[in-house]
Amino acid sequence: MGTVTSVGSGNYETGSTWDSGARAGNADDVVIASGHNVTLAQDEQANSLTIESGGTLTITGATRKIRVDSENGSGFAVDIDGAIVESGGGKLRLDIETPAATKLDLMGSSGNVHDLVINHASCVATMYSDVSLSGDLTITAGQLTTGDGGYGYSNLTVTGDASVTGTLTGNTSSVSLGSLTIAGGGTYSATSGTTTITSENGTKCFDNQSGGTFTHNNGSLKFASSIGDTTFDNAGADDFYNLTCETNGDCKYLNAITVLNNLTINHSNANFAANTDASGAITVHGITRLVLGIAFATSDDNANADHYGFIQVEGGTFRISDTSSATKTCDGIRNIGGTIDG
């Protein structure tokens, strides 16, 4: 076990690429030095991975995995200051299996990690940079936290799906996820700022499964306009603080929803309502604010005794199902530019 540093450009699996004269292995703190381009053409393991400023890791052919089992002497499992280059369909997946608290710096000079996996029950990985993943985030076990590691809280952007069976902690960071699935036993301790969901996994943009935990921390959850028709599921039965729907299409909830502060609907094509098989009511304690779109236009919520808080209609159409057999209530209503139909 020791530090193995590149002595020139070459393939990762080739001994002549490294100062040890042997292929870098799972017990080595691997360093790609400035001026060197190391090519990754198969899965590898390392004790830690460092790409120095001016160094390059090129991934070729397919998604290639580097499994990191520990950390270097500075406490970093991964420290990327150089470049990541994708070639011929190559993409970088990092599996962090450090069995302790560790640091991640994934913001290099160019390029992105594609997939990040946290997979050890004792791992607490703290982001020491903004993290932007062009693929998926999977927390199978352990924890990923956005900071504060002494550098301030870092922002997290995941283009693909975020799947949490361990713990994701957002602190005060900006968090943007393609979709979010909180599996049974998993926890998302949300940012006190805004968590933005930009896509969906299958048909759901947000899926808090039974036994999952969503902790709102007085933050906002927003479904963005990049999403078309979608559903969101709160089988974990956790409260939201602020909830914003800006979807470019139907946004249907599948379970009871409680919004402790404000619900906002704001897209001309948005239709926020219960799904056909929704099993519970929506309860808003603050303001239901309709800026654009349609709110609650569905004939399938007959059994839901919804409470909308104070309703403020600024645009769009607020419509209560005319076939509902349940009483809908509110604390007051003001129309300053839209339509109330029901």
Side-chain angles (χ1 to χ4, degrees):
M1 178 178 178
T3 300
V4 174
T5 303
S6 64
V7 292
S9 297
N11 292 329
Y12 193 109
E13 71 272 15
T14 302
S16 60
T17 302
W18 310 104
D19 60 2
S20 64
R23 175 179 179 171
N26 65 318
D28 295 324
D29 293 316
V30 176
V31 179
I32 299 175
S34 179
H36 299 161
N37 184 352
V38 174
T39 299
L40 182 69
Q42 59 190 46
D43 294 347
E44 299 287 351
Q45 288 180 251
N47 192 65
S48 69
L49 173 66
T50 299
I51 306 175
E52 293 182 346
S53 178
T56 301
L57 177 64
T58 297
I59 303 93
T60 63
T63 299
R64 310 297 186 187
K65 176 177 69 176
I66 298 179
R67 194 183 91 182
V68 177
D69 293 330
S70 190
E71 61 186 25
N72 62 23
S74 299
F76 282 87
V78 179
D79 187 0
I80 300 175
D81 294 319
I84 296 172
V85 175
E86 298 177 347
S87 176
K91 300 179 186 302
L92 178 61
R93 168 177 160 171
L94 292 176
D95 283 27
I96 310 301
E97 300 195 9
T98 307
T102 193
K103 306 172 188 177
L104 297 177
D105 179 355
L106 304 187
M107 177 168 280
S109 58
S110 62
N112 292 314
V113 174
H114 191 260
D115 300 319
L116 176 64
V117 178
I118 308 296
N119 187 26
H120 195 289
S122 298
C123 181
V124 180
T126 298
M127 292 164 37
Y128 269 62
S129 68
D130 290 348
V131 170
S132 182
L133 303 176
S134 52
D136 299 334
L137 170 65
T138 303
I139 305 176
T140 306
Q143 179 180 358
L144 176 67
T145 177
T146 59
D148 176 7
Y151 290 82
Y153 291 108
S154 302
N155 298 322
L156 174 63
T157 301
V158 180
T159 301
D161 303 319
S163 178
V164 181
T165 307
T167 300
L168 174 62
T169 302
N171 298 295
T172 62
S173 302
S174 173
V175 177
S176 176
L177 309 172
S179 68
L180 175 60
T181 299
I182 308 169
T187 297
Y188 175 42
S189 181
T191 172
S192 58
T194 300
T195 300
T196 302
I197 306 297
T198 62
S199 187
E200 61 180 13
N201 179 6
T203 60
K204 296 179 183 179
C205 59
F206 177 91
D207 188 7
N208 182 20
Q209 297 177 357
S210 179
T213 300
F214 173 84
T215 304
H216 61 72
N217 293 317
N218 294 340
S220 298
L221 178 65
K222 181 172 76 173
F223 304 136
S225 60
S226 52
I227 308 174
D229 293 346
T230 192
T231 57
F232 70 100
D233 198 342
N234 189 35
D238 293 309
D239 296 340
F240 303 99
Y241 188 69
N242 290 313
L243 180 62
T244 298
C245 173
E246 296 182 355
T247 58
N248 188 16
D250 291 349
C251 186
K252 302 294 185 71
Y253 54 91
L254 300 174
N255 299 94
I257 300 294
T258 298
V259 180
L260 298 179
N261 197 35
N262 298 330
L263 168 66
T264 302
I265 299 100
N266 186 17
H267 194 287
S268 58
N269 292 327
N271 176 16
F272 185 90
N275 198 56
T276 301
D277 55 354
S279 59
I282 185 167
T283 302
V284 179
H285 290 272
I287 298 171
T288 294
R289 181 172 172 244
L290 178 61
V291 182
L292 289 170
I294 302 174
F296 307 105
T298 176
S299 60
D300 302 308
D301 60 346
N302 299 345
N304 297 338
D306 299 328
H307 179 76
Y308 304 118
F310 185 90
I311 300 170
Q312 180 167 300
V313 182
E314 302 173 26
T317 300
F318 194 97
R319 181 180 299 153
I320 306 300
S321 166
D322 59 9
T323 63
S324 177
S325 61
T327 301
K328 316 291 185 178
T329 61
C330 68
D331 298 325
I333 189 165
R334 179 170 63 173
N335 183 8
I336 57 175
T339 301
I340 299 174
D341 180 13

mmCIF file of all heavy atoms in Angstrom, residues 187-209:
data_model
loop_
_atom_site.group_PDB
_atom_site.id
_atom_site.type_symbol
_atom_site.label_atom_id
_atom_site.label_comp_id
_atom_site.label_asym_id
_atom_site.label_seq_id
_atom_site.Cartn_x
_atom_site.Cartn_y
_atom_site.Cartn_z
ATOM 1 N N THR A 187 -33.290 7.903 3.462
ATOM 2 C CA THR A 187 -33.639 9.218 3.982
ATOM 3 C C THR A 187 -33.088 10.307 3.074
ATOM 4 O O THR A 187 -31.913 10.274 2.706
ATOM 5 C CB THR A 187 -33.069 9.432 5.397
ATOM 6 O OG1 THR A 187 -33.643 8.478 6.293
ATOM 7 C CG2 THR A 187 -33.361 10.837 5.908
ATOM 8 N N TYR A 188 -33.935 11.252 2.717
ATOM 9 C CA TYR A 188 -33.456 12.503 2.144
ATOM 10 C C TYR A 188 -33.754 13.603 3.134
ATOM 11 O O TYR A 188 -34.908 13.977 3.339
ATOM 12 C CB TYR A 188 -34.115 12.807 0.802
ATOM 13 C CG TYR A 188 -33.714 14.167 0.243
ATOM 14 C CD1 TYR A 188 -32.395 14.604 0.301
ATOM 15 C CD2 TYR A 188 -34.658 15.009 -0.344
ATOM 16 C CE1 TYR A 188 -32.022 15.845 -0.198
ATOM 17 C CE2 TYR A 188 -34.297 16.249 -0.859
ATOM 18 C CZ TYR A 188 -32.980 16.664 -0.777
ATOM 19 O OH TYR A 188 -32.610 17.910 -1.264
ATOM 20 N N SER A 189 -32.695 14.099 3.779
ATOM 21 C CA SER A 189 -32.802 15.269 4.637
ATOM 22 C C SER A 189 -32.591 16.472 3.732
ATOM 23 O O SER A 189 -31.459 16.801 3.364
ATOM 24 C CB SER A 189 -31.747 15.213 5.758
ATOM 25 O OG SER A 189 -31.870 16.334 6.616
ATOM 26 N N ALA A 190 -33.690 17.094 3.337
ATOM 27 C CA ALA A 190 -33.667 18.038 2.224
ATOM 28 C C ALA A 190 -32.934 19.320 2.579
ATOM 29 O O ALA A 190 -32.819 19.708 3.758
ATOM 30 C CB ALA A 190 -35.093 18.354 1.788
ATOM 31 N N THR A 191 -32.455 20.001 1.546
ATOM 32 C CA THR A 191 -31.906 21.322 1.715
ATOM 33 C C THR A 191 -32.977 22.268 2.265
ATOM 34 O O THR A 191 -34.166 22.124 1.968
ATOM 35 C CB THR A 191 -31.372 21.861 0.377
ATOM 36 O OG1 THR A 191 -31.002 23.236 0.543
ATOM 37 C CG2 THR A 191 -32.402 21.764 -0.729
ATOM 38 N N SER A 192 -32.539 23.240 3.041
ATOM 39 C CA SER A 192 -33.463 24.274 3.491
ATOM 40 C C SER A 192 -33.715 25.303 2.397
ATOM 41 O O SER A 192 -34.533 26.212 2.572
ATOM 42 C CB SER A 192 -32.914 24.969 4.747
ATOM 43 O OG SER A 192 -31.633 25.526 4.487
ATOM 44 N N GLY A 193 -32.995 25.154 1.277
ATOM 45 C CA GLY A 193 -33.273 25.960 0.087
ATOM 46 C C GLY A 193 -34.277 25.247 -0.788
ATOM 47 O O GLY A 193 -35.354 24.869 -0.322
ATOM 48 N N THR A 194 -33.944 25.040 -2.064
ATOM 49 C CA THR A 194 -34.866 24.422 -3.012
ATOM 50 C C THR A 194 -34.277 23.145 -3.590
ATOM 51 O O THR A 194 -33.143 23.138 -4.067
ATOM 52 C CB THR A 194 -35.212 25.383 -4.167
ATOM 53 O OG1 THR A 194 -35.831 26.561 -3.626
ATOM 54 C CG2 THR A 194 -36.155 24.743 -5.168
ATOM 55 N N THR A 195 -35.058 22.079 -3.547
ATOM 56 C CA THR A 195 -34.768 20.858 -4.286
ATOM 57 C C THR A 195 -35.595 20.885 -5.556
ATOM 58 O O THR A 195 -36.830 20.904 -5.505
ATOM 59 C CB THR A 195 -35.121 19.606 -3.468
ATOM 60 O OG1 THR A 195 -34.371 19.590 -2.250
ATOM 61 C CG2 THR A 195 -34.833 18.347 -4.279
ATOM 62 N N THR A 196 -34.917 20.901 -6.704
ATOM 63 C CA THR A 196 -35.606 20.968 -7.993
ATOM 64 C C THR A 196 -35.534 19.609 -8.675
ATOM 65 O O THR A 196 -34.457 19.024 -8.805
ATOM 66 C CB THR A 196 -34.963 22.031 -8.903
ATOM 67 O OG1 THR A 196 -35.007 23.306 -8.241
ATOM 68 C CG2 THR A 196 -35.713 22.125 -10.226
ATOM 69 N N ILE A 197 -36.692 19.094 -9.081
ATOM 70 C CA ILE A 197 -36.777 17.836 -9.816
ATOM 71 C C ILE A 197 -37.006 18.182 -11.288
ATOM 72 O O ILE A 197 -37.947 18.918 -11.623
ATOM 73 C CB ILE A 197 -37.925 16.952 -9.293
ATOM 74 C CG1 ILE A 197 -37.798 16.751 -7.769
ATOM 75 C CG2 ILE A 197 -37.935 15.620 -10.026
ATOM 76 C CD1 ILE A 197 -36.563 16.031 -7.320
ATOM 77 N N THR A 198 -36.143 17.655 -12.177
ATOM 78 C CA THR A 198 -36.146 18.100 -13.567
ATOM 79 C C THR A 198 -36.615 17.052 -14.569
ATOM 80 O O THR A 198 -36.759 17.355 -15.749
ATOM 81 C CB THR A 198 -34.743 18.568 -13.985
ATOM 82 O OG1 THR A 198 -33.828 17.460 -13.882
ATOM 83 C CG2 THR A 198 -34.258 19.711 -13.094
ATOM 84 N N SER A 199 -36.843 15.816 -14.131
ATOM 85 C CA SER A 199 -37.235 14.757 -15.063
ATOM 86 C C SER A 199 -38.024 13.718 -14.282
ATOM 87 O O SER A 199 -38.622 14.029 -13.252
ATOM 88 C CB SER A 199 -35.987 14.151 -15.727
ATOM 89 O OG SER A 199 -36.350 13.240 -16.736
ATOM 90 N N GLU A 200 -38.029 12.477 -14.751
ATOM 91 C CA GLU A 200 -38.731 11.431 -14.028
ATOM 92 C C GLU A 200 -38.072 10.087 -14.310
ATOM 93 O O GLU A 200 -37.341 9.914 -15.283
ATOM 94 C CB GLU A 200 -40.206 11.377 -14.418
ATOM 95 C CG GLU A 200 -40.454 11.085 -15.876
ATOM 96 C CD GLU A 200 -41.945 11.029 -16.214
ATOM 97 O OE1 GLU A 200 -42.771 11.446 -15.391
ATOM 98 O OE2 GLU A 200 -42.275 10.543 -17.311
ATOM 99 N N ASN A 201 -38.322 9.153 -13.415
ATOM 100 C CA ASN A 201 -37.846 7.786 -13.557
ATOM 101 C C ASN A 201 -39.054 6.934 -13.932
ATOM 102 O O ASN A 201 -39.861 6.589 -13.083
ATOM 103 C CB ASN A 201 -37.216 7.309 -12.248
ATOM 104 C CG ASN A 201 -36.729 5.878 -12.320
ATOM 105 O OD1 ASN A 201 -36.744 5.255 -13.366
ATOM 106 N ND2 ASN A 201 -36.302 5.355 -11.185
ATOM 107 N N GLY A 202 -39.181 6.613 -15.193
ATOM 108 C CA GLY A 202 -40.399 5.934 -15.634
ATOM 109 C C GLY A 202 -41.526 6.927 -15.716
ATOM 110 O O GLY A 202 -41.522 7.812 -16.566
ATOM 111 N N THR A 203 -42.492 6.832 -14.818
ATOM 112 C CA THR A 203 -43.625 7.755 -14.827
ATOM 113 C C THR A 203 -43.651 8.657 -13.601
ATOM 114 O O THR A 203 -44.547 9.493 -13.483
ATOM 115 C CB THR A 203 -44.947 6.968 -14.876
ATOM 116 O OG1 THR A 203 -45.039 6.118 -13.722
ATOM 117 C CG2 THR A 203 -45.041 6.118 -16.136
ATOM 118 N N LYS A 204 -42.705 8.519 -12.687
ATOM 119 C CA LYS A 204 -42.707 9.293 -11.448
ATOM 120 C C LYS A 204 -41.499 10.224 -11.396
ATOM 121 O O LYS A 204 -40.377 9.824 -11.682
ATOM 122 C CB LYS A 204 -42.694 8.370 -10.226
ATOM 123 C CG LYS A 204 -43.932 7.502 -10.080
ATOM 124 C CD LYS A 204 -43.833 6.592 -8.864
ATOM 125 C CE LYS A 204 -45.046 5.679 -8.752
ATOM 126 N NZ LYS A 204 -44.956 4.767 -7.581
ATOM 127 N N CYS A 205 -41.753 11.461 -11.000
ATOM 128 C CA CYS A 205 -40.651 12.394 -10.794
ATOM 129 C C CYS A 205 -40.153 12.342 -9.349
ATOM 130 O O CYS A 205 -38.971 12.607 -9.087
ATOM 131 C CB CYS A 205 -41.070 13.808 -11.168
ATOM 132 S SG CYS A 205 -42.488 14.454 -10.247
ATOM 133 N N PHE A 206 -41.025 11.988 -8.422
ATOM 134 C CA PHE A 206 -40.701 11.913 -6.994
ATOM 135 C C PHE A 206 -41.398 10.688 -6.431
ATOM 136 O O PHE A 206 -42.601 10.520 -6.621
ATOM 137 C CB PHE A 206 -41.180 13.186 -6.286
ATOM 138 C CG PHE A 206 -40.966 13.196 -4.795
ATOM 139 C CD1 PHE A 206 -39.806 13.717 -4.244
ATOM 140 C CD2 PHE A 206 -41.951 12.714 -3.938
ATOM 141 C CE1 PHE A 206 -39.623 13.741 -2.866
ATOM 142 C CE2 PHE A 206 -41.776 12.731 -2.566
ATOM 143 C CZ PHE A 206 -40.598 13.248 -2.030
ATOM 144 N N ASP A 207 -40.635 9.828 -5.760
ATOM 145 C CA ASP A 207 -41.197 8.574 -5.257
ATOM 146 C C ASP A 207 -40.647 8.317 -3.864
ATOM 147 O O ASP A 207 -39.573 7.760 -3.692
ATOM 148 C CB ASP A 207 -40.826 7.430 -6.205
ATOM 149 C CG ASP A 207 -41.536 6.117 -5.856
ATOM 150 O OD1 ASP A 207 -42.403 6.135 -4.967
ATOM 151 O OD2 ASP A 207 -41.214 5.101 -6.493
ATOM 152 N N ASN A 208 -41.390 8.766 -2.852
ATOM 153 C CA ASN A 208 -41.048 8.496 -1.461
ATOM 154 C C ASN A 208 -41.780 7.223 -1.058
ATOM 155 O O ASN A 208 -42.958 7.236 -0.729
ATOM 156 C CB ASN A 208 -41.444 9.669 -0.571
ATOM 157 C CG ASN A 208 -41.061 9.453 0.884
ATOM 158 O OD1 ASN A 208 -40.210 8.632 1.205
ATOM 159 N ND2 ASN A 208 -41.688 10.211 1.778
ATOM 160 N N GLN A 209 -41.067 6.106 -1.115
ATOM 161 C CA GLN A 209 -41.699 4.811 -0.946
ATOM 162 C C GLN A 209 -42.009 4.529 0.519
ATOM 163 O O GLN A 209 -41.490 5.178 1.428
ATOM 164 C CB GLN A 209 -40.792 3.730 -1.535
ATOM 165 C CG GLN A 209 -40.578 3.886 -3.025
ATOM 166 C CD GLN A 209 -39.625 2.872 -3.618
ATOM 167 O OE1 GLN A 209 -39.050 2.048 -2.907
ATOM 168 N NE2 GLN A 209 -39.440 2.916 -4.928
#
